[in-house]
Amino acid sequence: MLPQKEIVGKGVVKAIFLVCIADGIVGLSYGSLATADGFPLWVPLALSTLVLAGASEFLFIGIVASGGSPLTAAAAGLLVNARHLPFGIAVKDLVGRGSRGLLGCHIMNDESVVFGISQPQPEQRRAAFWICGIGIGLIWPISVMTGAAIGQFIPDISTIGLDAVFPTILIALIFPALRQRRTRLPASVGAVLSLSATPFVPAGMPVLFSLLGLLAWRSRK
């Protein structure tokens, strides 16, 4: 087993910190949008703590704010979060069991999964998954409620580009993995499928089509 001080390197911790900061910026914009659309404070608070999934939360308030049914919005959010099924399979050894497993499943998100499965050793994978998951689990609701409280002072995120911060950081994080053809092929296929579906499906749905890129990975095995 690796020495405790070497379980997670400084570079990984720094990357996790930057992703958490990016999540916090997105959370500010989400909380601001929620209050701007007329939702009471308890709605973004409940969503950010109980759902803890930014894409489905944005989708929920967007559908309801545009006149859609809350049940329809919830169903759309569940469909977007269907990607967590393969995520759960990928990190089943990292989330733990029993009550710890329940918490591990709750903090499982795109970022914690990426950091978890990208580490070379089991101890490193587990530590990175939990550090990232807990970090986002704390900063997301705090930033959402802060954004909701001061939403009237935050301009439109599309005007100042806040909506582009988080995906930009994620793209920077995945570049090292794309050096391997075994990863680059399914990622490219998934990206093409997702972009092709974008004009025809609701917001948040194209990412599900990118999962089909895994078929290209299987064909190379």
Side-chain angles (χ1 to χ4, degrees):
M1 180 177 292
L2 295 175
Q4 185 68 25
K5 66 178 181 179
E6 297 180 358
I7 288 181
V8 180
K10 292 182 180 179
V12 175
V13 174
K14 181 180 179 180
I16 291 175
F17 175 76
L18 291 175
V19 167
C20 288
I21 294 299
D23 260 37
I25 295 174
V26 177
L28 287 172
S29 64
Y30 164 59
S32 174
L33 288 174
T35 53
D37 286 332
F39 289 93
L41 285 176
W42 68 267
V43 173
L45 174 61
L47 291 175
S48 61
T49 54
L50 300 178
V51 178
L52 195 59
S56 60
E57 292 177 46
F58 269 106
L59 185 61
F60 180 88
I61 65 170
I63 291 176
V64 175
S66 61
S69 164
L71 292 178
T72 301
L78 287 173
L79 192 57
V80 169
N81 277 356
R83 69 188 188 280
H84 285 200
L85 294 175
F87 283 176
I89 296 174
V91 298
K92 60 183 178 65
D93 296 329
L94 308 182
V95 298
R97 299 181 178 181
S99 58
R100 178 184 175 90
L102 294 176
L103 177 60
C105 290
H106 187 60
I107 64 172
M108 181 181 67
N109 49 56
D110 300 27
E111 302 91 319
S112 61
V113 170
V114 168
F115 278 107
I117 66 177
S118 63
Q119 307 308 310
Q121 300 295 329
E123 296 88 351
Q124 295 172 327
R125 289 196 289 269
R126 189 174 297 108
F129 172 84
W130 280 89
I131 292 173
C132 184
I134 291 175
I136 291 176
L138 291 175
I139 198 170
W140 179 253
I142 292 174
S143 62
V144 168
M145 293 313 297
T146 302
I150 62 174
Q152 64 270 28
F153 303 111
I154 301 179
D156 184 2
I157 61 171
S158 62
T159 301
I160 60 177
L162 283 180
D163 52 336
V165 172
F166 187 54
T168 301
I169 291 180
L170 280 183
I171 290 174
L173 286 173
I174 67 171
F175 267 136
L178 294 179
R179 295 172 184 169
Q180 303 177 9
R181 184 177 180 182
R182 185 167 178 259
T183 303
R184 188 168 60 249
L185 178 62
S188 300
V189 172
V192 170
L193 292 174
S194 181
L195 290 173
S196 300
T198 298
F200 308 104
V201 298
M205 292 291 295
V207 67
L208 296 179
F209 289 86
S210 66
L211 294 176
L212 296 175
L214 294 174
L215 297 176
W217 174 77
R218 292 181 61 87
S219 67
R220 297 291 301 178
K221 292 183 67 176

